[in-house]
Amino acid sequence: MSTHLLENLNPEQRAAVTLPHESALILAGAGSGKTRVLTTRIAWLIQTGQVSPLGILAVTFTNKAAKEMLTRISAMLPINTRGMWVGTFHGLANRLLRTHHREAGLPQSFQILDTQDQLSAIKRLMKSLNVDTEKYEPKKVQWFINGHKEAGRRARDAEAFDEYSMRLAELFEAYDAQCQREGVADFPELLLRSYELLYRNEPLRQHYQQRFSHILIDEFQDTNTLQYRWLKLFAGPHAALFAVGDDDQSIYAFRGANTANMVEFEREFAHGKVIKLEQNYRSHGHILTAANTLIAQNAHRLGKNLWTAEGDGEPIRLFEAYSDQDEASFVVEEAKTLNREGVAFSDMALLYRSNAQSRVLEHALFSAGVAYRVYGGLRFFERQEIKHALAYLRLLTNPEDDGAFLRVVNFPTRGIGARSLEQLAETAARSGSSLWQAACSSGGKVAGFAKLIEEIKTATRDLPLAETIDHVIETSGLADYYRADKEGADRLENLNELVNAAALFSEESEEATLDAFLAHAALEAGEHQAEAGRDALQLMTVHAAKGLEFHTVFITGLEESLFPHEQSANEENGLEEERRLMYVAITRARRRLYLSHAQSRMLHGQIRYGMPSRFLGELPEQVLLYLNRRAEAPYSRPAASASATPSRSNDTGYRVGQSVAHAKFGTGIIIDFEGRGADARVQVKFRDAGTKWLALAYAKLSAV
């Protein structure tokens, strides 16, 4: 009766689906059919009479995945799935709390606060307590509260070792009390409150342990400490836990994901019962060989090797560009060629490590008239921090711009409240003037803001465009605001990229004025983001690409400090996480994969030289096709990239940007030189040894 469910499953998939009533870890590689295995396992358990639909608890990480799971189960079995406990951690926690709201100490109609609502509630609390918001920034208070909740700790458990942290713990306690009074719960509270409910209420815990005889978890590698503890409370002594995950695709350590949970799960529940799903149904062989060889460099992994029955396929194409603009031009031209050959733009993805890298790619696509869509994020000129910076710039050229004024008059916060702005608006309306004019004739903090804009205007009057924007970002307080922001690193990178955009615009444009640049930004923001349903190239970060697949994938910016990201050096196992991220990027490609890096890249308005990513050196040579090993780029480079190789005269026999090798320091790129004849020296940026000045008379460099 159930044999049709097992049709077309490979031996490992079938073994996982038909497991007896026991816990197991399913180590499922990219493209190995894990979703199919998970849903078929549920259908098989129900159809064979081992469990009723109400005896299953299935946990996913996204509502989309939960919905897809229920849709697939409905297609397999003629059952009503409405009563099944299938959902996200937070969704199921909410369901539990609604059902047992009295035991949880919540009103039946308690409201859920999203991130912004929570921040507003914290600000309201701090205002009522007269807390100095400059010393105790509301967002930092929010991080403190959420960080402790996600680790399973209340205010009384928070580590408070000095006056500052003790005050944060007090605010945490006061915030919890406020939420209780108002009958609301934030997202971290849902999971923590439901965990506490089951932990302290033994009869309720036993009820659910008896009810759910089978617990299935998707993307187990992404669970944090509290989520794993929450699952264990449901499990009890008799439940069979079916955990599906891939430690090689664990890329969310910054969100608290703990890969050690997989090792703990194997020890506590699976007891060595591990089934590996290694047959890949997505990618050709060369792509999988590259992914396997790369990830094998990681020491802390459970270990598996992906394979395919579909053959090797095309080699992986590697392109070395002169500059980031050259790289973008190459990608656009290749994408256009593939499209002419019949590959839809929507089946191509341009991946990058950080959001700031999208700007150069967006500009190239815009200039070439190719429609694109930024997946899981905003286009460059639509990002919050960019719009803030542009608003300051708009005020420099047109202080009468009320929209720009309102956007930044109190950002970063200057203690200008809503009431002050209402009074300013009333003054402006009475006199028929702009908010700016009203501000100039008023006093207090509003007048202080007007003075700041005037000072910036004076200071930047004779500065080049890129320096003007850099000055505005620093002087306005935007840079300091995002430096202090725990999650502000990406936003800072975007602001730096705005400076780069201005530098490039100055080189390419006949009229490099601030007005012209603002018009250019508005045009690029307003066009070419493809409307729904239109065939469009997909742009996204590697993080956003997880779970997706494409015919063709371009992985750009493969340079040291970009990918792997420079921050990884400061984090425990940071490099291993970056390598897992590269693994995810590679395994998004079905048929064709491009890897590219640039000799030079504009960073903070200046040309910088970089080394190729170490990940390129970790790939097997036999699967690579070098399109231009010496960066003999077949595409015409924008005029701006000419500055990547300064034309200063020298008699060293070397040039800036040239790759060289040294017996002790390894390979590197020349980034500067000085002196002549016997006194000549070159500055080389080595892959592993850092930057060195070398005397040519003794260094014995060789060209690579």
Side-chain angles (χ1 to χ4, degrees), residues 317 319 321 323-339 345 348-352 360-362 364-365 368 370 537-539 552-557 594-597 601 627 634-635:
R317 292 160 168 82
F319 181 76
S323 67
D324 46 357
Q325 298 110 57
D326 187 26
E327 179 185 48
S329 298
F330 164 77
V331 169
V332 171
E333 289 301 321
E334 284 293 306
K336 286 166 68 178
T337 301
L338 281 166
N339 184 248
F345 280 126
M348 303 181 214
L350 275 58
L351 307 186
Y352 34 82
V360 175
L361 294 165
E362 286 188 59
L365 290 164
V370 176
L537 209 60
Q538 308 293 302
L539 272 69
T552 298
V553 170
F554 297 85
I555 308 175
T556 61
Y594 291 88
L595 310 176
S596 61
H597 66 97
R601 191 171 294 274
L627 299 180
Y635 302 102

Side-chain angles (χ1 to χ4, degrees), residues 463-567:
L463 291 180
L465 181 60
E467 290 182 35
T468 295
I469 294 174
D470 191 35
H471 183 88
V472 167
I473 290 168
E474 289 292 341
T475 312
S476 65
L478 285 175
D480 285 339
Y481 176 83
Y482 290 118
R483 284 188 193 110
D485 189 333
K486 187 180 176 184
E487 298 171 353
D490 278 353
R491 299 192 186 278
L492 270 176
E493 285 184 9
N494 285 335
L495 288 172
N496 288 338
E497 190 56 35
L498 184 65
V499 178
N500 298 341
L504 179 62
F505 180 79
S506 298
E507 293 187 18
E508 291 184 340
S509 175
E510 295 178 4
E511 188 187 7
T513 63
L514 182 54
D515 278 329
F517 178 71
L518 289 169
H520 159 78
L523 287 169
E524 287 214 7
E527 295 180 23
H528 270 14
Q529 175 87 337
E531 61 271 15
R534 185 178 177 188
D535 187 34
L537 209 60
Q538 308 293 302
L539 272 69
M540 65 194 78
T541 64
V542 182
H543 280 103
K546 188 170 180 288
L548 304 176
E549 59 179 74
F550 303 89
H551 176 281
T552 298
V553 170
F554 297 85
I555 308 175
T556 61
L558 284 167
E559 296 132 46
E560 289 291 303
S561 298
L562 267 183
F563 200 0
H565 199 279
E566 59 187 351
Q567 290 177 356

Side-chain angles (χ1 to χ4, degrees), residues 221-523:
Q221 76 280 351
D222 293 336
T223 54
N224 62 28
T225 303
L226 181 60
Q227 287 165 340
Y228 185 36
R229 286 164 59 188
W230 186 88
L231 285 167
K232 287 198 287 187
L233 284 183
F234 276 101
H238 306 298
L241 274 74
F242 188 87
V244 182
D246 183 1
D247 59 325
D248 291 335
Q249 293 190 78
S250 179
I251 57 173
Y252 297 119
F254 64 94
R255 292 183 192 167
N258 184 6
T259 53
N261 286 348
M262 297 189 79
V263 177
E264 285 296 302
F265 178 86
E266 186 183 351
R267 184 179 61 81
E268 292 183 288
F269 291 97
H271 306 304
K273 187 68 179 180
V274 179
I275 296 177
K276 297 181 181 182
L277 304 183
E278 297 176 300
Q279 185 173 356
N280 179 283
Y281 294 93
R282 176 187 299 160
S283 308
H284 277 161
H286 283 326
I287 294 169
L288 297 180
T289 299
N292 288 332
T293 307
L294 175 89
I295 203 64
Q297 304 294 319
N298 275 3
H300 306 102
R301 58 190 295 262
L302 297 171
K304 65 179 179 320
N305 263 310
L306 298 177
W307 63 275
T308 181
E310 290 201 36
D312 289 338
E314 300 179 22
I316 297 168
R317 292 160 168 82
L318 179 58
F319 181 76
E320 182 181 6
Y322 280 101
S323 67
D324 46 357
Q325 298 110 57
D326 187 26
E327 179 185 48
S329 298
F330 164 77
V331 169
V332 171
E333 289 301 321
E334 284 293 306
K336 286 166 68 178
T337 301
L338 281 166
N339 184 248
R340 287 194 294 270
E341 292 172 358
V343 183
F345 280 126
S346 57
D347 210 9
M348 303 181 214
L350 275 58
L351 307 186
Y352 34 82
R353 174 61 180 84
S354 57
N355 269 307
Q357 291 168 251
S358 81
R359 202 273 313 164
V360 175
L361 294 165
E362 286 188 59
H363 178 70
L365 290 164
F366 172 83
S367 302
V370 176
Y372 68 91
R373 189 177 290 110
V374 179
Y375 183 92
L378 296 169
R379 286 173 296 165
F380 182 78
F381 286 108
E382 289 180 345
R383 293 167 191 163
Q384 179 206 72
E385 61 279 11
I386 299 300
K387 294 187 83 167
H388 287 329
L390 292 175
Y392 277 106
L393 296 170
R394 282 160 55 191
L395 285 178
L396 296 187
T397 64
N398 177 22
E400 314 295 317
D401 186 336
D402 282 358
F405 183 93
L406 286 169
R407 184 175 188 93
V408 294
V409 64
N410 198 40
F411 192 92
T413 180
R414 300 182 173 86
I416 302 172
R419 182 60 192 141
S420 298
L421 291 176
E422 284 172 16
Q423 291 171 342
L424 191 69
E426 289 167 5
T427 303
R430 280 197 306 271
S431 60
S433 66
S434 65
L435 293 173
W436 169 263
Q437 289 171 340
C440 290
S441 58
S442 66
K445 292 174 179 175
V446 171
F449 172 72
K451 186 182 176 187
L452 171 67
I453 298 300
E454 287 292 350
E455 287 172 352
I456 293 174
K457 193 172 181 178
T458 302
T460 58
R461 186 168 285 126
D462 300 318
L463 291 180
L465 181 60
E467 290 182 35
T468 295
I469 294 174
D470 191 35
H471 183 88
V472 167
I473 290 168
E474 289 292 341
T475 312
S476 65
L478 285 175
D480 285 339
Y481 176 83
Y482 290 118
R483 284 188 193 110
D485 189 333
K486 187 180 176 184
E487 298 171 353
D490 278 353
R491 299 192 186 278
L492 270 176
E493 285 184 9
N494 285 335
L495 288 172
N496 288 338
E497 190 56 35
L498 184 65
V499 178
N500 298 341
L504 179 62
F505 180 79
S506 298
E507 293 187 18
E508 291 184 340
S509 175
E510 295 178 4
E511 188 187 7
T513 63
L514 182 54
D515 278 329
F517 178 71
L518 289 169
H520 159 78
L523 287 169

